[in-house]
Amino acid sequence: MLSLHVDRDRWWAHLRSVVDAHPGVVPVVKGNGYGLGIGCLAEVSGQLGADLVAVGTYAEVPHVEKSFAGDILVLSPWRPSETRATYDARLVHTVGRLSDLQELTAGGDRGASERPRVVLELLTSMRRHGFTPQGLRAAARHLEGVAVEGFALHLPISHGSHLSEMARLLDDLVASGIGTRRVFVSHLTHDELGTLRASYADFDFRPRIGTSLWLGDRGALRVRATVLDDHEVRRGDVFGYRGRTAPRRGHIVVVSGGTAHGIGLEAPSGGATIRDRAARVARGSLDAAGFVRSPFTVAGKQRLFAEPPHMQVSMLFLPEGTPVPPVGTEVDVQVRFTVSTFDRLVFS
Ligand SMILES: *Cc1c(COP(=O)(O)O)cnc(C)c1O
């Protein structure tokens, strides 16, 4: 079993601190739910007092509807190919093209209470989705059929300041003549948001936060893999799908966690430099024999894969002398949470 252990008190304290520091935060609960699962994050969002959560796609909406009572913002822009009903009292669409806006409102004479709720996205330096400034001004003439909830800006995760780009974008929003002053933003720092709130007091900034909310305190999260089996091998013994031979005495240890969980060949933090590697090759060590470093830690060291990870388990090679963790115990694994799936969540 590949388990994600959550230190509940520590994790919760972190979540609270982010929510307190970012009034109006819109928790983002998309994809694999940052490793914790969309349903779990939706439920926690409600417990944190959020009135709105953001999902990535329409396919994710059903995963949130039952575990969260508030409104649901879909970050991917609405497209005419979307089959879900355009009006839903809890659903907020993102629109970034004039033709989509026209299609969305083409349904005919709905009552005023049944106008689809939308946020209008403006293209940023990301150049992913959204209206150009001219496009937004054109859109301003086609808003009768929708209820505009705000604007959306998706900024890059840049190293420099976002403030000059934000000033330009906010000018464009004002110039569009569209009345709303609510702006959903991402990837602004706490200080940048503070500066913007001070300089644009008439705007209501709503930060969308995923990673730094759910995964902002990595120490609250620990991933552990169950040791499933252990086989002593001598030099030359054959093992694995590929009929490899053991380069020396040791143990083949089988642990939970394979490609289906998101375990890849490369250890995520990659610490080894080319120089380290050259030194190891010179010493004739195991990775010189073609073994690749795994993300599994045994006896304080990241161990080598005996062969590439299987679908649900991995085979590790432990050279003779390494303490072998008993079957049924757990070992630590380093993962990238946004690409990982766990067999269970353990809150303690
Ligand atoms: C994913 C996403 C976010 C959240 O990003 P994090 O880096 O996880 O905080 C915010 N806004 C949009 C539009 C996104 O797609």
Side-chain angles (χ1 to χ4, degrees):
M1 199 135 46
L2 190 69
S3 307
L4 172 54
H5 295 265
V6 182
D7 178 336
R8 187 196 297 270
D9 291 346
R10 181 168 169 174
W11 190 55
W12 200 258
H14 166 73
L15 299 180
R16 277 260 163 252
S17 74
V18 175
V19 169
D20 291 346
H22 297 282
V25 62
V26 179
V28 176
V29 300
K30 66 187 179 186
N32 68 339
Y34 294 82
L36 292 119
I38 292 183
C40 166
L41 298 187
E43 193 178 331
V44 171
S45 298
Q47 292 162 352
L48 287 167
D51 59 343
L52 172 69
V53 296
V55 295
T57 65
Y58 284 89
E60 290 167 351
V61 173
H63 300 293
V64 172
E65 274 171 321
K66 283 176 216 80
S67 35
F68 177 73
D71 293 341
I72 303 164
L73 169 66
V74 183
L75 297 172
S76 298
W78 184 85
R79 292 284 188 257
S81 58
E82 175 51 43
T83 52
R84 204 186 156 94
T86 54
Y87 176 74
D88 175 331
R90 293 175 60 197
L91 198 64
V92 183
H93 306 283
T94 300
V95 179
R97 302 193 313 168
L98 184 57
S99 57
D100 293 341
L101 183 65
Q102 288 167 324
E103 283 276 343
L104 185 66
T105 53
D109 44 17
R110 294 189 186 84
S113 65
E114 294 204 342
R115 288 184 301 164
R117 303 170 66 188
V118 300
V119 300
L120 302 171
E121 182 163 14
L122 190 59
L123 195 68
T124 69
S125 59
M126 286 266 295
R127 285 190 203 289
R128 193 165 79 172
H129 302 300
F131 290 104
T132 60
Q134 305 89 292
L136 191 67
R137 288 199 294 275
R141 297 191 295 273
H142 296 87
L143 298 175
E144 318 78 46
V146 292
V148 178
E149 305 275 333
F151 297 110
L153 301 173
H154 192 40
L155 296 160
I157 309 174
S158 73
H159 300 293
S161 169
H162 290 111
L163 290 177
S164 57
E165 179 169 11
M166 278 299 292
R168 263 198 321 279
L169 293 165
L170 293 172
D171 281 349
D172 293 332
L173 298 187
V174 172
S176 74
I178 299 167
T180 179
R181 287 293 173 266
R182 186 175 302 127
V183 187
F184 297 93
V185 293
S186 56
H187 300 144
L188 292 172
T189 65
H190 180 248
D191 289 349
E192 286 174 339
L193 268 170
T195 305
L196 286 168
R197 285 187 169 127
S199 338
Y200 298 87
D202 53 332
F203 278 85
D204 170 22
F205 293 100
R206 304 272 326 246
R208 296 178 304 244
I209 309 183
T211 307
S212 65
L213 177 64
W214 309 118
L215 304 177
D217 181 4
R218 290 297 166 99
L221 307 170
R222 189 171 181 195
V223 180
R224 311 207 79 203
T226 308
V227 177
L228 299 172
D229 229 323
D230 162 30
H231 310 288
E232 201 169 350
V233 289
R234 283 172 304 181
R235 182 187 163 88
D237 282 349
V238 177
F239 66 86
Y241 278 129
R242 291 145 204 247
R244 284 182 138 189
T245 52
R248 54 158 135 149
R249 243 178 207 287
H251 287 255
I252 299 289
V253 172
V254 186
V255 293
S256 294
T259 53
H261 297 96
I263 299 289
L265 252 191
E266 291 300 319
S269 68
T273 63
I274 290 174
R275 203 150 139 234
D276 291 339
R277 202 173 148 72
R280 273 184 266 150
V281 170
R283 289 198 303 272
S285 75
L286 288 168
D287 51 356
F291 283 28
V292 173
R293 206 159 70 111
S294 84
F296 297 89
T297 300
V298 175
K301 266 181 71 177
Q302 239 173 301
R303 299 298 165 173
L304 300 174
F305 280 120
E307 71 167 355
H310 300 177
M311 191 156 177
Q312 291 173 314
V313 301
S314 293
M315 296 176 86
L316 309 179
F317 183 80
L318 301 190
E320 193 181 23
T322 309
V324 178
V327 169
T329 60
E330 288 187 316
V331 298
D332 282 318
V333 199
Q334 270 184 277
V335 300
R336 272 173 39 217
F337 284 89
T338 49
V339 298
S340 300
T341 308
F342 304 105
D343 298 316
R344 60 169 184 167
L345 276 174
V346 183
F347 286 89
S348 50

